Structure formats: C-alpha cells, structure tokens
Amino acid sequence: MSYSNRSETCPISIVIPAYNVAEYIVEAIDSLLNQSVLPHEVIVVNDGSTDNTLDIVSEHYGDNEIVKVFSQLNQGAGVARNKGIELSSGTYVFCCDPDDVVSPDLFSEFQKRIEEKPQLDLFCFSSIQFYENNTTSPKVRHQKNGWREQGRDVLCEMISRGDYTSAAWTYILRRSLITDNKLSFIGRVHEDHLYTAKGYLLSKLTYVTEHVGYFQRSRLGSLTKSRKDDEYIFERFNALSAVLDVLNNELPHEKRYEQVKYKYVRNSLLAIANICAENYRLIPSALAAKFKDYSYYSLNGLKDILIFRCPRILVLIRKFFH
C-alpha cells in the first residue's frame, strides 16, 4: 500500500482501540494515512487481542512514524481510548473505531477550519452506516454548514432531529477540553454517553459540515450486533439518567431546552425498548416501572404503545419477520 507522501499535517491525534479486528484494522488505518492532509499521529491501543491484530498492525505499519502502538490487558474500548488520549500529543483528538473507514478529505476540511479560526473547539461531520450486503443508511445528518458559537447548539440540533448518537467517532475535539475537565470513558458498555455529552456542552466555537466524513461498519460479532442481557439494558438506562442530569445542570431552564430534554429521554427510552425487542426480550419489569418516573415519558402513536404497553406483541412481530 502506498500512502500519501504529502508533508502537510494537521494537529490531530487519532486514537484507535483495537480488540480482535485483524480482518478490518488495515482498511481503517489506511483510510487515515491516505488523507490529503495527514494526521499528527495515529495511536493504536491493542486491548489484549487474542487474534493476530497486533501482528498485522506491526507488519503493516512498523516503519511508519505516524502510527504508534501500545498494548494492554483487555479492559474494554473505553479504557483503551483513555490510554490513547493520555499518550496523545496533538492539539485535537479524534477517536476512530478499528473496523470503520474515514473519508479521504476529512482532515483537509478540518485543517481549513482551524486555519480560519484557530480557537475552534469542536468539529462535527455527517456519517453513514454500511452493511455486509453493500447497502448503506444515514447515521448522523448535519444540516446548515457553518459555525456555531457553542457546541451545545449542535447537540440540541441533533437531539431535536432524532439522529444524535454518543459515538466518539462523530466529532473531533480539542484535547485541552478533555484534559482540563478530566473527561474520560467509563465502563465497558455505554462508556461514551457522558464523555460525548460533556464534550459538546464544554465546547465553545464549533464548526459543522454536512459532508460525510465517516463510514461505520455494521458487522456480525461487533458489540453493537451482539446479544444483550439485562445488565447491558440497565446500564443503558443508567447512562440515560446520567446524561439527563448533565443536561439539567448545564442547559438553561428555557422552554426550547426543556423540549430538547424531553426528546432526548423519549428517544433514549425508545432505543432501550428496541434493544429489548431486537434481542427478543421483554423490558425488565423493574426498568419498565422506572420509565414512568420520568416527567418526559409519554406515548405517541401505535409504535410507542406496542413498545411500552404491549412489548410481547413487538417481540413476536420481530421474531416473525426475522
């Protein structure tokens, strides 16, 4: 593989947590090294892989000055990202997953924005999900290209549109915001919910582009596609609660922001219920009771009623069409 030999770089550290992704990681790293503007560094944190992920990375990039590899015992993607950020030295941090692909012009556009306004805190871009059958679907669809005075404006826009995701690969964030505010990924699952919400809320000057900068791979065997147990489902609810606390503390108590919080809770509850249905599980009774404790909880339409009042029917429907 011949990589871009351009000398122009942008001050960004890319952090990749890698666990048993030998089949995909070369494509991911190549998409970062074949940029028209190169990153400052690519930090791969091998999270105790039991396949030949580490060997493949070493074989392909052992002589590449940009790619740096660190190995640790398996502790989960969140801990691996924290370690990568700790090791990083760029002005900005971008967390890329090891099985995804980055658009070849992402960093050139990012570089233009920081040249325009060096005080940029947050850079956001659109993304697409692609599947093993070669089909795709939108993930995050940003609208109204341009500058925002605060990252919270972008957070509220996405929540209101219904395409907000906490995934750490949906933005590039100034490193000092992470270190100065002690942001970290917590736990093995749903580890990015608080990190991402706080990142948006702490950011001031933000740029948003509607251009697709990231392609998320949907594959069998990934955490996203694995079977979920009750612990996973309860942890997702706990993440919802933690983020809502942050929104209550950080967003002004105005009608438009109350509507954003309502939308966040409703979308999150629907996501939890859908996780249960996708795994042919009923919403745990203890959790279903907690749903109704929220003042933002309401039923709108047949889908909501099926999910919250008649979950058995929804599970049967999914089984029938599976």
Side-chain angles (χ1 to χ4, degrees), residues 11 16 21 23 30 53 80 97 105 111 119-120 172 184 186 198 215 253 265 285 309-310:
I16 304 178
V21 284
E23 185 177 350
D30 279 355
T53 293
D97 278 1
D105 58 355
Q111 179 68 11
Q119 65 272 40
L120 174 70
I172 297 170
S184 65
I186 302 171
K198 288 181 177 180
F215 299 85
H253 295 288
V265 172
S285 57
R309 294 280 175 80
C310 309

Side-chain angles (χ1 to χ4, degrees), residues 270 273-278 280-283 302-321:
L270 286 171
N274 272 314
I275 289 171
C276 293
E278 287 169 0
Y280 311 126
R281 306 171 69 91
L282 297 178
I283 301 170
L302 178 61
K303 181 179 179 181
D304 291 18
I305 293 171
L306 280 175
I307 289 174
F308 294 116
R309 294 280 175 80
C310 309
R312 292 181 185 278
I313 294 177
L314 186 65
V315 171
L316 289 172
I317 290 173
R318 286 193 178 275
K319 281 185 177 180
F320 181 79
F321 287 104

Side-chain angles (χ1 to χ4, degrees), residues 7 15 18 30 35 40 59-60 64 81 83 88 92 96 107 114-115 158 196 250-251 256 265 270 273 291 295 314:
S7 59
V15 175
D30 279 355
Q35 297 282 317
H40 168 64
E59 177 186 345
H60 281 79
N64 192 303
R81 291 193 191 104
K83 186 62 182 181
S88 67
Y92 296 88
C96 178
F107 299 149
I114 59 176
E115 288 175 354
M158 290 189 292
T196 293
E250 300 298 331
L251 292 179
R256 60 175 174 149
V265 172
L270 286 171
F291 276 24
S295 58
L314 186 65

Side-chain angles (χ1 to χ4, degrees), residues 73-88:
L73 296 176
N74 179 256
Q75 298 174 72
V79 174
R81 291 193 191 104
N82 290 338
K83 186 62 182 181
I85 293 170
E86 177 188 328
L87 295 169
S88 67

Side-chain angles (χ1 to χ4, degrees), residues 35 94 101-110 123-130 136-143 145 163 169-171 207-216:
Q35 297 282 317
F94 172 45
V101 179
V102 175
S103 172
D105 58 355
L106 177 63
F107 299 149
S108 63
E109 182 169 7
F110 172 69
F123 179 77
C124 306
F125 42 87
S126 297
S127 51
I128 285 176
Q129 191 168 33
F130 67 99
T136 62
S137 63
K139 188 69 176 182
V140 176
R141 291 178 286 190
H142 285 294
Q143 301 167 1
N145 285 2
D163 65 357
W169 43 257
T170 56
Y171 53 85
Y207 189 84
V208 174
T209 176
E210 67 183 24
H211 296 148
V212 174
Y214 196 89
F215 299 85
Q216 181 197 23

Side-chain angles (χ1 to χ4, degrees), residues 142 150-164 197 200-201 247 250-252 256-261 263-264 267:
H142 285 294
Q150 299 184 84
R152 78 179 186 194
D153 297 334
V154 184
L155 175 66
C156 292
E157 288 171 13
M158 290 189 292
I159 292 173
S160 297
R161 287 197 309 266
D163 65 357
Y164 170 68
Y200 277 99
L201 293 168
L247 295 178
E250 300 298 331
L251 292 179
R256 60 175 174 149
Y257 292 114
E258 292 302 306
Q259 291 174 340
V260 167
K261 287 184 280 187
K263 194 72 178 287
Y264 174 76
N267 290 346

Side-chain angles (χ1 to χ4, degrees), residues 2 92 203 249 277 311:
S2 61
Y92 296 88
S203 296
N249 289 332

